[in-house]
């Protein structure tokens, strides 16, 4: 039977700080054994060798083991999707999803937040960027939908994945077994893994038909409007956290999404917040004060526009040899979205191939309806 969801955001005072999670457990907000997933931002470089993700991951899992009854092997199966890089004003934090007993949550027949999680089958290095990975991610997303009690893809508003990327060891492993990888550029493989996962989400939710291998990273008209995909060295399969709304599950929270058409699209951010349930916001010139503490968090994907322009004006993000565009666009969109909600502790992730339109990306809001 589905249980209501409690969702809380905690700040990270250092890379290995899991005190926010520990405090919520100690206060009885939820039990350690009821945590079903975490989505967080760490303060590293956001690149292939960003080991802050590993440090945060270890810290949070240690608390779940120490405070609960699950074994280390069981806790390892909980999706903890860490995205590295808090460029600009972005602040390291984590959003924690846990189930709570039905009697402890508000009862309502209205749509409220439900969360499902899943792990895909192992993804081999030679499958990254190809149909095999798309199919494995899609199968995992369908399992996550089932665990969330969602049958209609229209009720899914956010799918966060964490998938493996390529490093020298895995590239050589594929070669030893007689296979060729899509790319030997490990940083490019981050974009590739994210994009392939985005296509898997889109296939699972019926947003697109199954693409051909040569469409991956090339046909940018193919995308998911609810995908947020990250990748790293710390896993060999897709971790999937899926969030949507279910009628009658109860609880205080609701989720919605929209699309930022470009890096400056503040209207897209406000639309996501409205779609999540804050429909009392002013139509013209909304301000952070109108949120009244009801916004739990924002989750955004972004990328430098492949045209090298924003609203017809040239920028040099894609030509800059000193600072990679990943970091520049993350800082830009993070500043825009933080100004909208008045809070720099928001989830902004870069590399949005097949996740929203070129130069834009999905934006997701979770709100507390009380």
């Amino acid at each position: 039977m589905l249980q209501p969801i409690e969702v809380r955001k905690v700040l990270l005072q250092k890379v290995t700080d899991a005190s926010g999670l520990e405090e919520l457990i100690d206060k009885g907000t939820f039990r350690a054994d009821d945590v079903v997933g975490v989505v967080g931002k760490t303060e590293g470089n956001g690149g292939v060798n960003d080991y802050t993700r590993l440090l945060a991951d270890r810290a949070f899992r240690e608390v779940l083991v120490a405070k609960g009854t699950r074994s280390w092997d069981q806790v390892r199966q909980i999706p903890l999707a860490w995205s590295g890089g808090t460029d600009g004003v972005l602040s390291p934090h984590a959003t924690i999803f846990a189930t709570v007993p039905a009697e402890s949550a508000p009862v309502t027949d209205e749509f409220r937040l439900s969360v499902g999680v899943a792990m895909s089958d192992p993804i081999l290095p030679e499958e990254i960027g190809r149909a095999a990975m798309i199919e494995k991610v899609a199968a995992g997303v369908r399992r996550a939908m089932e665990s969330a009690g969602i049958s209609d893809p229209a009720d899914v508003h956010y799918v966060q994945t964490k998938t493996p990327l390529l490093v020298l060891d895995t590239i050589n492993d594929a070669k030893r077994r007689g296979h060729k990888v899509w790319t030997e550029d490990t940083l490019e493989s981050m974009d590739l893994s994210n994009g392939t996962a985005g296509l898997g989400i889109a296939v699972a939710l019926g947003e697109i038909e199954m693409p051909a291998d040569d469409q991956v990273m090339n046909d940018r008209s193919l995308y998911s409007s609810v995908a947020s995909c990250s990748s790293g060295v710390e896993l060999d399969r897709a971790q999937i956290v899926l969030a949507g709304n279910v009628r009658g599950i109860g609880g205080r929270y609701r989720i919605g999404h929209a699309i930022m058409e470009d890096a400056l699209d503040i209207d897209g951010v406000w639309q996501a917040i409205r779609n999540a349930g804050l429909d009392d916001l002013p139509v013209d010139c909304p301000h952070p004060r109108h949120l009244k503490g009801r916004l739990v968090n924002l989750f955004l994907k972004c990328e430098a526009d492949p045209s090298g322009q924003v609203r017809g004006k040239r920028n040099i993000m894609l030509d800059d040899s000193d600072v990679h565009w990943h970091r520049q666009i993350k800082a830009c969109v993070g500043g825009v979205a933080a100004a909208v909600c008045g809070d720099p502790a928001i989830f902004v992730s870069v590399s949005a191939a097949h996740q929203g339109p070129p130069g834009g990306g999905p934006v997701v809001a979770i709100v507390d309806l009380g």
Side-chain angles (χ1 to χ4, degrees):
M1 182 176 176
L2 290 178
Q3 291 180 274
I5 296 293
E6 183 68 33
V7 52
R8 294 295 181 95
K9 180 168 66 176
V10 298
L11 302 180
L12 306 185
Q13 302 302 331
K14 59 182 179 179
V15 178
T16 56
D17 178 27
S19 62
L21 169 63
E22 191 169 11
E23 182 180 348
L24 289 169
I25 295 169
D26 288 345
K27 290 194 309 183
T29 304
F30 46 73
R31 302 186 310 159
D33 288 350
D34 294 331
V35 173
V36 297
V38 175
V39 177
K41 289 296 298 184
T42 65
E43 61 205 67
N45 61 21
V48 174
N49 64 335
D50 183 352
Y51 295 105
T52 64
R53 298 184 298 243
L54 289 168
L55 295 170
D57 188 273
R58 180 83 184 189
F60 269 62
R61 293 188 196 277
E62 286 177 348
V63 168
L64 294 177
V65 171
K67 295 288 184 178
T69 64
R70 291 183 285 194
S71 68
W72 182 257
D73 285 341
Q74 290 173 318
V75 167
R76 284 180 59 193
Q77 299 306 307
I78 302 171
L80 271 58
W82 296 101
S83 173
T86 48
D87 302 272
V89 299
L90 293 174
S91 184
H93 70 281
T95 304
I96 304 161
F97 300 92
T99 58
V100 292
E103 60 270 18
S104 68
V107 176
T108 176
D109 289 330
E110 297 297 318
F111 277 113
R112 290 296 184 267
L113 176 69
S114 182
V115 174
V117 299
M119 293 279 195
S120 78
D121 292 338
I123 296 170
L124 299 174
E126 63 269 21
E127 294 175 338
I128 297 174
R130 298 185 173 122
M133 178 175 172
I134 296 173
E135 291 169 346
K136 288 181 177 180
V137 171
V141 170
R142 294 185 188 105
R143 290 197 295 272
M145 277 185 65
E146 184 177 355
S147 73
I150 298 175
S151 56
D152 186 349
D155 294 330
V156 176
H157 294 277
Y158 179 39
V159 184
Q160 177 68 52
T161 63
K162 188 78 177 183
T163 51
L165 46 72
L166 294 168
V167 294
L168 187 59
D169 282 349
T170 57
I171 292 170
N172 288 335
D173 171 64
K175 289 180 177 179
R176 282 192 297 269
R177 293 182 289 103
H179 296 283
K180 184 178 180 180
V181 295
W182 198 93
T183 179
E184 294 191 19
D185 183 328
T186 57
L187 184 56
E188 182 183 33
S189 78
M190 177 179 290
D191 296 344
L192 175 67
S193 183
N194 292 356
T196 310
L199 290 172
I201 294 166
V203 168
L205 300 181
E207 295 176 283
I208 63 170
E209 298 296 325
M210 181 68 187
D213 280 352
D214 61 2
Q215 290 178 291
V216 178
M217 303 301 288
N218 293 317
D219 186 351
R220 298 296 296 277
S221 69
L222 303 177
Y223 63 81
S224 171
S225 61
V226 298
S228 176
C229 305
S230 295
S231 52
V233 299
E234 63 267 31
L235 67 174
D236 65 355
R237 63 196 71 205
Q239 295 182 341
I240 302 163
V241 179
L242 179 147
N245 294 315
V246 170
R247 192 178 294 280
I249 189 175
R252 296 160 41 195
Y253 305 96
R254 186 167 165 173
I255 189 168
H257 78 278
I259 290 289
M260 285 185 77
E261 297 294 340
D262 61 31
L264 303 178
D265 186 11
I266 61 172
D267 291 334
V269 180
W270 282 115
Q271 189 57 49
I273 297 170
R274 289 189 179 92
N275 290 346
L278 300 190
D279 49 13
D280 61 347
L281 297 173
V283 175
D284 295 323
C285 300
H287 187 275
R289 65 175 176 272
H290 298 130
L291 296 173
K292 301 176 183 177
R294 296 173 294 174
L295 178 67
V296 177
N297 210 358
L298 292 174
F299 306 83
L300 304 97
K301 286 298 293 190
C302 61
E303 66 168 3
D305 196 304
S307 71
Q309 296 186 349
V310 173
R311 303 194 179 183
K313 295 181 174 62
R314 183 174 68 94
N315 63 72
I316 53 88
M317 282 188 283
L318 296 174
D319 291 325
D320 194 331
S321 299
D322 293 321
V323 181
H324 196 276
W325 67 263
H326 279 191
R327 310 197 73 166
Q328 297 193 45
I329 192 64
K330 192 189 306 175
C332 170
V333 172
V336 169
V340 167
C341 65
D343 185 356
I346 55 176
F347 185 93
V348 181
S349 177
V350 76
S351 184
H354 301 302
Q355 303 150 75
V363 52
V364 177
I366 296 177
V367 301
D368 184 346
L369 296 179

